[in-house]
Amino acid sequence: MMLNEQESVRHRRRGAALEAVLLDAAWAELTEHGYDAFTFDAVAVRADTSRAVLYRRWATKQELVLAAIGHGAARVPLEIPDTGSVRGDMLALLRYANATRVSTAIILSLHLGGYFTDTGSSLDDLRTVLRGDFPDAVRTVMDRGVQRGELDPGRLSDRIERLPFDLYRYELMMTAKPVPEDVLQEIVDTVFLPLVSPLQGGTA
């Protein structure tokens, strides 16, 4: 492809397609070099564009980093599992997280100290960005479990519904490695299901 043809292809990128390219580049820069070395110039070079294109969308480094984190955490589309049981569905969601969130955990634990200093924020402030579609998926799993009689709706609360993934994220952040299968099963079987299963006449 000749140079003018390459420039034509580059300039035809618009809207969501262009934004995805920009965020892919930002995520790659953040992954490889960390927050402190992260610059608009480096992202623009990687995305084969100009700083002006980035600044039209994100006014500051911190805004672009936050968008890149959300983009990186959602790179693999989430499909809500339907295994026929709450146990199976929750384990499937945790295994999905294991397959897609480790690199995000490494970035958060090793590369974002400067971001938290600059913004005065904490890891908890990124909760919404990091959770992505998981709350909707968990809500669907819970609703199906109630309909099947596996779960007691009176024992469900927002905090309890978040518990499996809060425990998962703790394990992931402490080790920056995929959480072992036996730990995933312990989270579901030993901690979560006893809290939400009917007290009498039901099993999960």
Side-chain angles (χ1 to χ4, degrees):
M1 181 180 292
M2 298 178 62
L3 180 59
N4 62 342
E5 293 175 322
Q6 292 175 331
E7 292 178 349
S8 177
V9 169
R10 181 181 66 187
H11 293 156
R12 282 201 298 269
R13 298 181 305 191
R14 295 288 188 274
L18 173 58
E19 185 162 310
V21 170
L22 300 177
L23 291 176
D24 280 343
W27 176 250
E29 280 295 316
L30 193 61
T31 303
E32 293 178 19
H33 303 297
Y35 174 82
D36 291 339
F38 184 94
T39 66
F40 274 73
D41 283 334
V43 174
V45 169
R46 189 183 285 267
D48 191 24
T49 190
S50 68
R51 287 185 302 172
V53 171
L54 293 168
Y55 280 119
R56 282 198 292 269
R57 290 163 174 79
W58 303 282
T60 67
K61 170 180 173 177
Q62 292 77 28
E63 289 180 10
L64 178 53
V65 166
L66 185 62
I69 292 171
H71 180 73
R75 287 169 68 91
V76 181
L78 171 62
E79 295 184 5
I80 301 176
D82 189 1
T83 66
S85 72
V86 171
R87 181 183 190 274
D89 290 347
M90 291 302 297
L91 283 173
L93 286 173
L94 289 168
R95 289 165 184 152
Y96 164 88
N98 239 6
T100 62
R101 297 302 174 95
V102 175
S103 61
T104 304
I106 292 173
I107 286 177
L108 293 176
S109 60
L110 300 180
H111 294 321
L112 282 188
Y115 171 85
F116 296 129
T117 299
D118 288 351
T119 61
S121 62
S122 67
L123 183 58
D124 187 62
D125 295 319
L126 296 180
R127 181 187 296 270
T128 300
V129 174
L130 296 173
R131 291 174 74 192
D133 294 331
F134 278 104
D136 290 340
V138 171
R139 181 71 261 163
T140 298
V141 169
M142 297 300 101
D143 288 344
R144 289 195 304 230
V146 170
Q147 292 170 6
R148 289 193 298 257
E150 294 180 79
L151 304 181
D152 180 352
R155 306 186 73 192
L156 292 172
S157 68
D158 289 342
R159 184 175 297 277
I160 289 176
E161 289 183 12
R162 293 197 308 265
L163 183 60
F165 283 95
D166 286 344
L167 293 175
Y168 170 82
R169 276 188 291 270
Y170 173 80
E171 295 285 341
L172 190 59
M173 294 299 297
M174 290 300 100
T175 65
K177 296 179 181 179
V179 179
E181 175 68 19
D182 64 316
V183 177
L184 299 183
Q185 293 188 25
E186 184 176 12
I187 288 172
V188 175
D189 293 338
T190 305
V191 180
F192 178 64
L193 288 178
L195 291 175
V196 296
S197 299
L199 292 175
Q200 296 179 356
T203 59

